[in-house]
Each structure stands twice: as C-alpha cells, then as structure tokens.
Amino acid sequence: MPIIAFQGRPGAYSDLVCRQARPVWETLPCSSFSAAIEAVHDGRADEALLACENSLAGRVPEIHALLPNAGLHIVGEHFHRVEHCLLVVPGTPIEAIRAVHTHPVALGQIRNLLAELDVEGVPQFDTAGAAEMVAQWQRPGDAAVASSLAGELNGLEILRRNVEDAAHNTTRFYRVAPQPDWPDPSHDGTLTTLLMRVGNKPGALYAALGGFARYGVNMTRLESYMLGGSFAATQFLMDIEGHPEQDNVRLALKELTQVSDDLKLLGIYPRSLARV
C-alpha cells in the first residue's frame, strides 16, 4: 500500500488531510517536517504532506527553509478548514475543566473559549499529542483542543466542535514527491511554484517581476526571506497561475532568468478546487 508522510502525531490535522488527499494510502506520522521529507528520500513513504501557510498564522517558516534543498517536487496543493474540537475524558462535565492543552498556534485561535471557561491554556508540541496526553492522564480537569480524528483515535469525548475564534481558519498544504508530475499544458487550472534570488539593489525586484505583468501572468503568492543571515540578497518563493509550457508563462520566465539568480521550479501541479 502506498504511504504518505506528515508532521505530527496520529490524528493531527495533517493526518486528516492525508486521509482526504490519498484516501486509500497509509499515513506515516513524523516528528518534524524534515523527518517527513527524509521518509520520502529513504523510501519509507511515497509522498509527504507539508503545511505551508495558514489564513490566521501566515506562512510556515520552516517549510521555506526546507523546500529549496529538499530535492522533492510539489505535485499538489490541498486546503483544510481547521475545526478545533474541545476533547475530554468521557463523562467529564465542562465545568470540571481547569486546563486546556494544545499547540501554541491553536492556543492563539481559541482565546474566546479560554476566556469563557476562565481556564489556563497550556502549550504542547502538537494538537494530536495533547489529545494523547489527556487520554493517558484520565484527569477530568485536563482537556485538549485538537481534531475530531484525534479525539476518535484516543477515545476522547467531543464536548464542543468549532471552538476556534475565526471561521476562516484554513491551512494550505503542499503535497511533495520524489518525481515531478506535471499536468498537461492545456489544463487551465495549473499552478507553478518558483524560487529565485535577487540582489539587494534598487529596482531588482521590479525587474524580476515585470515580465509577469507584461505577459499577463497572475501571481497568487509572493514570500521573501533572507539567506543565511545575510542582508545582501533576498530569496523569493512565488506561486503563479499557468504552466511553463504555455506561451505567456514561458516568455515571463525567460525574462525572469535574465534578471534573477538561481531560479528553481519547485513544482507544477493542478490548482485545488477548494481555492477561491
């Protein structure tokens, strides 16, 4: 059976997305993003699912650091609406809760719940890991906030669903594989992810991006970050609409190669139907 790796414990949101993206595949929990990437390299997994950005928390910095040298290709994107559940030992009344355990990012997304219950939010390394600990402790005073899958896998009761403060809390994921899987150039819904560098000088970014405007190529994402602690050059990761073999994209990329350094294609893949 094919295997898809993810970062987190069984029942993590990434695990849930893996099961949706690859319904008949086995999922492989990994301790970190780098461990998930390594699982693909050493043959323990056929693909990996990597969270790249969230509508509330923004980009996932570790992915930006890992992707350029991961040696893998983006073959798909997936969106998941994060639905936090309040999980307790079965039979626990809500008034018995004294502490809520979850990932630090999730704690920032459930402030209203913590204020309503007047309880302490305790940061843990992982949402699903917090559910595991609450199940092991069997203490009515301790609750977890995690996915419904984490509750099911750990035998916990869902006291409340959708306890997040914002209804638009959505995470985007890249699905990566050892080999590229380019869609047909005639496919309308294609995205291309690029990585490039520009020098720290006036007009460098303008020159690099001008071709996209001239040839009508839409950019859906642009992220910048410094390289190796240096302020002399900046690296950019971008998602654009279209396929490199389509005329307008080909011409725009030709211009880009002339004014930027170290241009890499990280992936060419179908646009998710969930993208709006």
Side-chain angles (χ1 to χ4, degrees), residues 168-229:
H168 61 79
N169 186 3
T170 301
T171 300
R172 181 183 180 222
F173 296 83
Y174 287 135
R175 185 165 49 84
V176 298
Q179 301 297 327
D181 186 16
W182 291 13
D184 189 282
S186 64
H187 189 276
D188 288 336
T190 297
L191 291 177
T192 298
T193 297
L194 309 166
L195 194 70
M196 70 165 186
R197 299 181 187 181
V198 297
N200 189 7
K201 57 185 179 182
L205 182 59
Y206 177 84
L209 301 183
F212 295 112
R214 278 187 287 277
Y215 295 106
V217 178
N218 188 39
M219 186 180 305
T220 62
R221 184 187 186 198
L222 179 66
E223 296 279 359
S224 68
Y225 48 108
M226 309 309 293
L227 292 170

Side-chain angles (χ1 to χ4, degrees), residues 75-184:
V75 295
E77 67 165 354
H78 300 273
F79 291 85
H80 181 68
R81 162 77 166 82
V82 178
E83 297 178 297
H84 290 314
C85 294
L86 180 64
L87 307 173
V88 295
V89 174
T92 300
I94 198 166
E95 58 270 16
I97 297 173
R98 296 293 177 266
V100 173
H101 304 260
T102 192
H103 188 277
V105 171
L107 281 178
Q109 299 169 353
I110 58 165
R111 292 189 178 96
N112 292 342
L113 174 72
L114 297 177
E116 176 195 340
L117 300 182
D118 191 22
V119 297
E120 178 186 8
V122 182
Q124 303 294 351
F125 68 95
D126 183 54
T127 55
E132 285 185 3
M133 290 189 294
V134 167
Q136 292 169 0
W137 293 333
Q138 290 291 302
R139 298 194 301 243
D142 291 293
V145 163
S147 70
S148 58
L149 178 61
E152 178 185 339
L153 293 177
N154 291 284
L156 296 176
E157 178 183 344
I158 300 175
L159 273 188
R160 286 191 190 175
R161 296 178 182 270
N162 301 108
V163 296
E164 61 276 5
D165 298 336
H168 61 79
N169 186 3
T170 301
T171 300
R172 181 183 180 222
F173 296 83
Y174 287 135
R175 185 165 49 84
V176 298
Q179 301 297 327
D181 186 16
W182 291 13
D184 189 282

